[in-house]
Amino acid sequence: MGKSGRRNFAIRYTIGHFIISVLLAAACAGIVFGFWYRPPYAELLKVTRIFLLILGVNVLCGPLLTFVVSNPTKSRRERVLDLSVIALVQSVALAYGMHTLWLARPVVLAFERDRLVVVTSSEIDHARLPMAPEGLRHLPTIGVVRVGTRRATSSTEMFDSVQQGLSGISPAMQPAWWVPWATNLREIKAYAKPLEKLIARHPDAAATLLQAATDSSHKVSDLTYLPLTSQKNKEWVALLDKDANIVGYAAVDGF
């Protein structure tokens, strides 16, 4: 069998492997964006590019290796062994990437002073979860749990909080500082500002904010906003209705 025969043989195997890889990638995308990183968290945490890199390497490298090793002169046992090794390497790489995304998934949306903070699973010391109030001691598998944060109860605790903050650890990341969302409801309403003021301050972002208001099915005059931040992004806002329910989001700097 000549080179063209070997190439055609390898192409058939490669196409089959590519189709399987694409289907697997689609299933992973459904899990990541449908369960772990629902809007707006994929954009807010800048995870889309990382996910595409993981899948891109997986979808392209696996079939490419199949093309390289496929040869009709090999016995059936050799071909099965080659493909099994490639599938194993590909599966391990994909599992590692998905596990990394799982650890970095958003699990808490906390009201902290004058903003909403998105906290990921990897930013929380899981050993300290028992220090959270009853009902907030388990992180969700899907979606986020909303929490408030309490004030410092002493000057020593305040100093410790400042020190932690300088290290990048805010009260939103510390279970001992969490309180039920309803506890902060009055403060949330007090700190939320009219959306109309944000539109006036950022006329360049008016179209984005107006579209977010339209998508929320609320009038602009009925909406307020709070800055929505994460460790990776500070330029988002959450839209709130008159009862301080979150009804929309927009990629606009709220500070």
Side-chain angles (χ1 to χ4, degrees):
M1 182 178 290
K3 290 184 178 180
S4 61
R6 185 267 169 192
R7 184 174 61 250
N8 292 336
F9 179 85
I11 288 174
R12 289 199 301 272
Y13 270 75
T14 300
I15 290 174
H17 192 163
F18 180 76
I19 291 173
I20 293 172
S21 296
V22 169
L23 292 175
L24 185 59
C28 289
I31 293 172
V32 171
F33 298 111
F35 295 99
W36 298 348
Y37 294 86
R38 292 174 176 172
Y41 300 117
E43 289 186 66
L44 186 66
L45 296 174
K46 299 182 178 180
V47 74
T48 302
R49 184 177 300 179
I50 298 173
F51 176 76
L52 292 178
L53 177 62
I54 292 171
L55 286 195
V57 170
N58 201 271
V59 168
L60 294 177
C61 289
L64 181 60
L65 288 173
T66 295
F67 180 80
V68 172
V69 304
S70 294
N71 193 319
T73 62
K74 291 183 177 181
S75 67
R76 179 181 178 84
R77 181 177 179 278
E78 289 176 315
R79 292 199 298 268
V80 170
L81 179 61
D82 287 343
L83 294 178
S84 296
V85 171
I86 292 173
L88 177 61
V89 172
Q90 191 175 8
S91 298
V92 170
L94 181 60
Y96 177 78
M98 291 292 285
H99 180 64
T100 300
L101 292 175
W102 162 262
L103 293 178
R105 76 192 189 282
V107 290
V108 170
L109 179 63
F111 173 72
E112 184 182 291
R113 293 190 298 274
D114 59 351
R115 69 198 67 186
L116 296 174
V117 181
V118 178
V119 184
T120 68
S121 176
S122 59
E123 293 170 340
I124 296 172
D125 184 351
H126 290 216
R128 294 181 178 271
L129 283 172
M131 300 172 68
E134 187 70 34
L136 299 177
R137 296 173 183 170
H138 300 282
L139 300 180
T141 301
I142 299 173
V144 299
V145 59
R146 297 185 303 172
V147 305
T149 54
R150 63 177 177 80
R151 303 285 185 176
T153 57
S154 66
S155 57
T156 300
E157 193 174 52
M158 174 63 77
F159 178 77
D160 289 342
S161 177
V162 172
Q163 291 292 98
Q164 295 267 23
L166 293 175
S167 301
I169 303 174
S170 71
M173 302 174 187
Q174 302 179 60
W177 285 73
W178 296 347
V179 296
W181 177 265
T183 303
N184 282 167
L185 195 56
R186 182 177 297 179
E187 288 184 78
I188 292 172
K189 292 181 179 180
Y191 279 102
K193 300 175 182 178
L195 182 61
E196 292 174 320
K197 289 188 176 181
L198 185 62
I199 293 173
R201 195 167 79 244
H202 292 290
D204 56 317
T208 299
L209 293 168
L210 290 172
Q211 184 60 54
T214 299
D215 293 341
S216 74
S217 300
H218 289 75
K219 296 179 180 178
V220 172
S221 58
D222 293 335
L223 293 172
T224 56
Y225 75 93
L226 282 172
L228 179 65
T229 70
S230 70
Q231 287 286 77
K232 296 183 178 181
N233 202 327
K234 310 295 183 185
E235 299 182 352
W236 276 73
V237 294
L239 308 187
L240 288 72
D241 64 15
K242 292 181 178 179
D243 296 318
N245 297 309
I246 299 173
V247 296
Y249 306 92
V252 177
D253 185 357
F255 292 104

